[in-house]
Every structure is written in structure tokens, then in C-alpha cells.
Amino acid sequence: MANINFSRAYLTMKQLLTGNEAAAEAAIQAGCRYYYGYPITPQNELINYMSVRMPQVGGVFIQAESEIAAINMVYGSAAAGGRTMTSSSSPGISLKQEGISYLAGSELPCVIVNIQRGGPGLGDISASQADYFQAVKGGGHGDYHLIVLAPCSVQEMANLVYDAFGLSDKYRTPVLILGDAQIGQLMEPVEFPEKPNKKSPSKTWALTGAEGRKRNIVKSFYPVKGQLEEFNNHLQEKYKNIEEHEVRYEAVNIQNADVILVAYGTSARICKEVVKKSQQLDFKVGMIRPITLWPFPKKFIRKISENAQCILTVEMSAGQMVEDVRLSVEGKCPVYFYGRTGGGVPASSEVIKKIVEIVPENLAANRLLQLAEVK
Amino acid sequence: MQAIYEKPKTFIDSATHFCPGCGHGIVLRLIAEILDSWGMRGKTIGLAPVGCAVLAYNYLDIDMCEAPHGRPPAVATGIKRVHPDKLVFAYQGDGDLAAIGMAEIIHAANRGENITFIFVNNAIYGMTNGQMAPTTLLGQKTATTLSGRNATNDGYPIRVCELLAVIEGSSFIERVSISSPEQVRKTKKALEKGFRTQIEKKGFSLVEILSSCPIYWRMDSNEAMRYIDEEMSRIFPLGVVKDWEAKK
Ligand SMILES: Cc1ncc(C[n+]2csc(CCOP(=O)(O)OP(=O)(O)O)c2C)c(N)n1
């Protein structure tokens, strides 16, 4: 770990940290005092950092015996009203899925960081975005969603981890930070400005001992016929509310763009470079970067697709987010996909090659359409 | 007239879902009696497991949390770290604690978590209709060992108390049973000691209670009690296995 000085003055200055360290420090700045984890590359800087820092701020750090234990410790601390977090990487996040489903089913707030690596199975330790389905479609059993935030820089990692605690308390739901090995291990300048709202809102439902009040029960079991459906309807209402209010994205150069790239995290960094380089091409490239992967910016993408020539989704997977892009577009414009798998990271030149491959065809098709309309 | 025996206030007045002759109701009642007499109702957080006791919160009038199957030691750890001054107990069956949750209980003991574990051993999976448990006796017939548990294929009954006693972080471990009024009184004493171990911050405590499952043992209640005394207690000997106070 970098030789870090933790004084407040130091933290408000710009520091060079890895994304993993920034996530850890941001959690501490956000008031998280209960961290449970299990080592796995490429998120080890995060657990290492927490082991030093949590005791300094009077918090709890436990190196759990497994990811399963870690997420269940999070479950306990969340149920008891504590601000709590765990982190891991792909195979470890798979192990946490049962616990995550229970957290969603018991409406408990917490933050989970997934620094994705290549899969399936043991895979490799380089950057990947192949856990997208698992992250945004549920992952564990049952009808539930996590709020999924995807940072594309070290500073944004810090900001989103901070916001994640607020969102998880506001909606009583686990929030997942979906990073990847590049975002986790990259070093960039970051600062941690002093922010308000470090404290959770009052948690009248938490387990604190029932002194002077009616007892609280934290559970997700509804054995009486009809009760579980009622509870699920309540969850779905909550998710609708989140979809209404919490969508975040960044749009770059999208006015009159011939091609719109859709990408998040590391692949969005590459696409940003493509947008810059495209100024030398004879067509315009724009980009939409979803920051919330769930709720997905589907209304915005749909609106843009009405005037767009075509959309190209770029991912470090065999094509997962592209399904949500297609669902958003509803056939209003063609959607293409470029992806690398198994730890492969697309180069900007590869993305440009793909653009050149799809654009003339599309423009030609469009000219035919215009001719048809003229008659 | 003076009442000498009544329903504890912490025990919610309702019919339980337990089968006739099942031991769970007795153990939950003992917990309620202790919390009542110690005035601890408002200072306690309990954990219900997956298994027949999943609905324990329907009977105990205290703050309670459910845990995924086998995970009560991890969940209890998370609760206790937030509220180190509350009495935290986890209530687990043999499938929950000794099969799917074996890792969590060993590591909670190893960390010396200042939590009391109440381990209800009925040598079978009750809730899922009578399959073999890690504590099922050799020769015992269950839904998945129709001709009796056979060591060659199924392994041996696991002695949880003895296993945990060798772990340095454990402080108080005792095995008791509910087979007779006398044994029930001993069980209450063991639970009190377990709770006191925690209140005095002496670390990990576990009370194993040999309990009955007449329905899936295919016995009547009397036979079940005899089975505990004559068969189970031979493989799982009753008594204190580890005691932090005895060291002195
Ligand atoms: C992950 C998971 N696996 C399996 C089950 C199904 N299940 C529920 S209770 C149980 C066994 C419980 O046995 P035990 O802990 O001995 O308690 P008892 O019901 O006998 O009191 C099982 C396997 C589950 N709920 N979750």
C-alpha cells in the first residue's frame, strides 16, 4: 500500500491513489464503520487499506473466512443499523449472491464493490465487464434489483461510493459499485472534499434491543399465502420510484452524431478517446456513458435513438449491456456491438475499425430511405 | 393466591407451529424465562435460523433477525460488532450449524466472538421432512438413509462440542438435553451460563441441546425421550466440555 498520511488536510488535497484505495477512503469519509472482506485480486488494495484505516477511525474490520461469511456479516451489521460495506471481485461476488438476495429481501442498506475480473470460473485477474448480467438482472434468487453504479475514474469511484451510502439508506436497498480491474488498480489524482450527511437517517426498523418500544424483526420469509406477493409488489413500487429519480449518465458530443457509442467504466474511457479521435474522420461520433447501470438510462437512449443513425455498444464482454441498449432503442435505429472477452480490453483503433465497418452501410441505407420518401 | 409457575412475558401468547413432542418449544421457552427474570427483554437481539425454528420470532418478544441457512454465526458477528453491549444469541439446528454452516461456527469460535450459540441437535433435518443430518446416529433411518446411516457412505455423527472445544477462541461449551424435567432444569442452567459468559465478556459460548423430533424419528414422544437418553446421549455425552471458570 502507498505510504498514506490520513490527516484531514492531506485528504482534502489531491492525492494519487488507486481506485480501490479511493473506494475504501470514500467509504470511511461517508461514515462507513463496518467493513468485512476476503482477499481476491484485483481488489486487494481495498481490503488492505480498510485493515489499516478502520481501526484508526474506531471502526470494525474483519477479514472473514469467506465471501459468504463477509456478506452475512454485512447483513448483520446492516440489520443492526450500522453503515457497512464489503468488496470483492467476480468469483467472490458470485459467492455473495445468496446474501445479496437476502439483503434485498430484508430491505437492508449496504454497499458492495465488485472489481470485475475475467471469467467464467477462475478466469484471470485482468479487467472485464462480464458480470453485467449478474449485477443488473438480479444475480441471486428472486425478483429484485440493486442500484448499480459504474465509475470510470478514480475520482468518480470516490464520489460514487460516497453517494452509494446515501442511496442505500434512502431506499433501504443494497447498492453495488461495478468497477473492473483497470478502474480498481489505476492510479489517478483524487480528493475527498468534506461532505455533509455522513450520518444515516434514523433507522426505526433496526435491531438495537427492544427497550421502550415494540420489537423489530428483520426477515425475508413470508410463509402466509399472499404475503410474499404483497411484499414483492411493494419492492417493485420501490424500484419504479428509483427508476424515476436516480438515473445518471454522461452524454458526450451527441448532437447530430452519426454514430453513438454506449459504454461504461473502462470501455467508456476507450470510447472517449474514440470520440476525440473521430474529429479527424468525416463523420461524427458521440457517446452515452451510463453511470447507473440499474436504473438504466433507457428513456434517454430511446430519445436519442429516434434521431441517431446507429448505435454501437462497446463492452469487455461477449455482449451483455447491448441487450439493455436494444430494449431501450426498441428498433428505432440499428444497434451494433463490439466486445472483447476474457480480460481483453478493446483498443480505440479496434473501435474505430468497427465504426468504419458499420457506418457506410448505415448511411447508404439511410440515403435509400430518403430516396424512397422523395418518390 | 401466589402463582408459582406462569407463561414468561417474553414468550408471545400464541400456538406454536412445532410438531407434538418437538423440543424447540421447550428451549425457546427457557430463553424467554431467563430474559424475563434477568430483565433483559429490551437488551437482547436474537437470530432465527433456517430450519424448524425459522419462526422463533413469532414466539419471542424481542428484536430478532433471520439468517440464511448456516450463516447465523456470521450475521450474529455483524450484529454484535455494532452492539457490543447487547446480549446477542443465535439459535441453530444441526443441519444449519454442523452441515452448511460448519465454517461459520468454527470461525466465530476461533475469533472468540462474544456471542451465545444455542445449538438444537435433533439428529435430523426437521423442516425438509427428515433427511440425514451430520449428527444422525449410525444406523438411524432417515428420508435419505432409508436403511440406516452407514459410515462408509455417509460418514460419522459429528460431535460439535468436542470439535469446538479444541479451538482456542471458545470459552464455554456444554451439552445438555430436554429428555426429562431434570434435564430441562440443567438446560436452563447451561443457557444461563452461556448468557453470563457473554455478559461478562468472556467470549464464545455454545450450549448444545439434545432435542427430539418424534415425527421424523417415527416415534411417540415417550420413545423419543428414551431415545435421547439411551441412544443419543451415548454418542453425544452430556456435560460441560469447556468452561472458562473451571480453568482457575
Ligand atoms: C441454502 C439453503 N439450502 C437448503 C435449504 C433448505 N432447508 C431448510 S431447513 C433445512 C434443514 C434444517 O435442519 P436443521 O438445521 O437440523 O433444523 P431442524 O429443522 O431440524 O430444526 C434445509 C436443508 C435452505 N433453506 N437454504
Side-chain angles (χ1 to χ4, degrees):
Chain A
M1 194 166 74
N3 187 13
I4 297 166
N5 151 359
F6 295 106
S7 75
R8 189 63 247 168
Y10 169 90
L11 291 167
T12 50
M13 289 171 353
K14 277 214 161 159
Q15 299 307 320
L16 201 57
L17 292 183
T18 64
N20 286 327
E21 289 163 338
E25 184 58 38
I28 287 166
Q29 294 303 320
C32 172
R33 289 296 177 271
Y34 305 94
Y35 173 88
Y36 309 100
Y38 187 83
I40 183 171
T41 309
Q43 62 84 56
N44 292 325
E45 296 78 11
L46 206 168
I47 176 170
N48 294 354
Y49 190 101
M50 284 298 197
S51 72
V52 174
R53 196 74 173 102
M54 269 301 177
Q56 287 179 348
V57 295
V60 169
F61 167 86
I62 296 182
Q63 179 170 331
E65 62 270 27
S66 69
E67 288 84 354
I68 297 174
I71 192 72
N72 283 287
M73 290 173 188
V74 165
Y75 179 93
S77 285
R83 264 203 171 174
T84 177
M85 169 165 148
T86 185
S87 62
S88 190
S89 177
S90 308
I93 295 289
S94 292
L95 281 174
K96 290 184 196 286
Q97 291 303 330
E98 181 203 38
I100 295 172
S101 168
Y102 272 73
L103 282 154
S106 306
E107 300 199 86
L108 293 177
C110 69
V111 174
I112 301 151
V113 177
N114 180 5
I115 301 299
Q116 297 168 88
R117 59 190 251 178
L122 193 53
D124 70 8
I125 57 164
S126 54
S128 167
Q129 296 180 323
D131 301 351
Y132 178 91
F133 281 156
Q134 187 194 53
V136 307
K137 307 289 181 192
H141 57 286
D143 267 330
Y144 74 91
H145 284 287
L146 306 175
I147 296 178
V148 182
L149 305 174
C152 86
S153 69
V154 174
Q155 183 65 59
E156 194 180 32
M157 173 68 94
N159 297 348
L160 290 183
V161 165
Y162 197 98
D163 294 350
F165 283 99
L167 287 168
S168 75
D169 277 336
K170 182 171 174 193
Y171 293 102
R172 284 184 61 184
T173 190
V175 176
L176 181 78
I177 303 286
L178 193 66
D180 60 58
Q182 296 255 349
I183 302 293
Q185 300 199 318
L186 186 78
M187 277 190 126
E188 279 180 343
V190 56
E191 54 188 332
F192 303 93
E194 192 113 45
K195 292 188 187 172
N197 306 325
K198 278 192 188 179
K199 277 228 168 80
S200 298
S202 88
K203 297 178 174 176
T204 52
W205 46 265
L207 307 177
T208 58
E211 197 84 87
R213 59 158 169 79
K214 276 180 133 175
R215 74 212 171 103
N216 285 334
I217 297 168
V218 170
K219 67 178 178 87
S220 56
F221 187 47
Y222 296 90
V224 177
K225 197 170 185 302
Q227 275 185 359
L228 181 58
E229 185 160 28
E230 201 178 298
F231 173 71
N232 268 281
N233 289 340
H234 154 73
L235 272 188
Q236 294 304 318
E237 278 303 313
K238 171 161 93 177
Y239 298 144
K240 243 187 251 162
N241 190 18
I242 295 173
E243 285 190 286
E244 213 46 60
H245 295 103
E246 306 298 345
V247 172
R248 298 188 199 183
Y249 54 83
E250 183 191 357
V252 188
N253 260 8
I254 52 166
Q255 288 304 322
N256 308 316
D258 294 312
V259 177
I260 290 173
L261 303 174
V262 183
Y264 68 97
T266 290
S267 49
R269 291 172 76 99
I270 293 145
C271 288
K272 253 189 199 169
E273 213 180 298
V274 173
V275 171
K276 243 199 237 149
K277 285 187 180 166
S278 75
Q279 269 126 28
Q280 300 149 29
L281 303 172
D282 57 356
F283 47 83
K284 263 191 84 182
V285 180
M287 177 176 87
I288 299 171
R289 178 173 73 87
I291 296 170
T292 50
L293 296 179
W294 196 91
F296 195 68
K298 56 185 175 192
K299 279 190 192 154
F300 181 71
I301 290 179
R302 157 84 198 217
K303 200 175 98 209
I304 296 305
S305 70
E306 283 173 5
N307 298 313
Q309 303 278 2
C310 69
I311 287 178
L312 172 61
T313 303
V314 180
E315 294 177 70
M316 283 136 62
S317 80
Q320 301 194 9
M321 183 179 68
V322 64
E323 294 193 2
D324 283 334
V325 175
R326 289 206 174 105
L327 283 171
S328 308
V329 164
E330 288 181 347
K332 293 285 164 194
C333 77
V335 176
Y336 299 93
F337 170 72
Y338 184 72
R340 295 277 307 273
T341 65
V345 178
S348 57
S349 60
E350 290 167 28
V351 178
I352 291 172
K353 224 170 107 193
K354 181 72 183 178
I355 292 173
V356 172
E357 189 185 305
I358 61 178
V359 160
E361 187 189 318
N362 179 61
L363 290 179
N366 206 54
R367 255 178 247 126
L368 279 179
L369 205 74
Q370 283 168 355
L371 280 178
E373 272 168 12
V374 173
K375 273 184 201 121
Chain B
M1 217 170 37
Q2 195 200 345
I4 52 163
Y5 199 67
E6 58 189 350
K7 191 188 71 62
K9 287 199 179 56
T10 303
F11 205 77
I12 293 167
D13 205 357
S14 70
T16 72
H17 70 288
F18 300 117
C19 304
C22 164
H24 275 307
I26 297 172
V27 184
L28 289 174
R29 187 199 152 104
L30 292 178
I31 296 169
E33 282 178 10
I34 298 168
L35 296 183
D36 263 16
S37 62
W38 291 6
M40 291 294 288
R41 188 205 81 97
K43 300 181 185 69
T44 302
I45 302 170
L47 262 123
V50 162
C52 285
V54 64
L55 293 173
Y57 49 74
N58 282 356
Y59 316 124
L60 293 177
D61 184 23
I62 56 173
D63 272 10
M64 284 199 78
C65 188
E66 251 168 34
H69 194 19
R71 315 302 168 219
V75 177
T77 297
I79 293 174
K80 186 72 181 186
R81 295 299 177 118
V82 177
H83 300 301
D85 292 321
K86 295 279 154 38
L87 181 70
V88 176
F89 72 86
Y91 185 94
Q92 298 187 259
D94 42 68
D96 200 62
L97 183 141
I100 195 168
M102 188 61 116
E104 283 78 5
I105 195 67
I106 286 183
H107 289 278
N110 196 43
R111 285 190 303 270
E113 291 293 340
N114 195 39
I115 297 169
T116 306
F117 292 86
I118 299 166
F119 173 39
V120 180
N121 179 1
N122 59 12
I124 205 157
Y125 284 20
M127 184 168 238
T128 46
N129 299 354
Q131 295 86 356
M132 182 186 75
T135 48
T136 293
L137 305 188
L138 289 180
Q140 188 181 334
K141 291 182 178 153
T142 73
T144 48
T145 55
L146 286 178
S147 45
R149 182 178 189 162
N150 157 355
T152 313
N153 191 63
D154 311 317
Y156 297 87
I158 291 178
R159 292 186 187 96
V160 166
C161 289
E162 289 75 0
L163 191 65
L164 293 176
V166 298
I167 289 177
E168 262 176 78
S170 62
S171 293
F172 173 70
I173 295 177
E174 180 171 357
R175 187 182 286 119
V176 289
S177 99
I178 50 104
S179 63
S180 66
E182 188 200 347
Q183 295 301 339
V184 170
R185 274 193 298 276
K186 283 188 181 163
T187 297
K188 186 168 175 181
K189 283 230 161 61
L191 290 172
E192 285 172 340
K193 176 79 183 267
F195 288 152
R196 193 163 60 76
T197 300
Q198 182 182 168
I199 290 166
E200 293 182 20
K201 299 199 189 304
K202 300 297 180 191
F204 181 94
S205 51
L206 178 136
V207 178
E208 173 173 340
I209 301 157
L210 302 186
S211 184
S212 50
C213 183
I215 299 290
Y216 293 112
W217 289 357
R218 314 273 176 220
M219 293 176 194
D220 66 29
S221 305
N222 286 329
E223 277 179 282
M225 297 308 156
R226 227 176 298 126
Y227 187 76
I228 293 176
D229 285 341
E230 288 166 15
E231 302 295 330
M232 275 181 92
S233 308
R234 274 197 308 126
I235 307 301
F236 302 114
L238 302 184
V240 174
V241 184
K242 191 170 187 181
D243 184 355
W244 54 276
E245 278 180 318
K247 277 184 219 154
K248 286 172 211 162

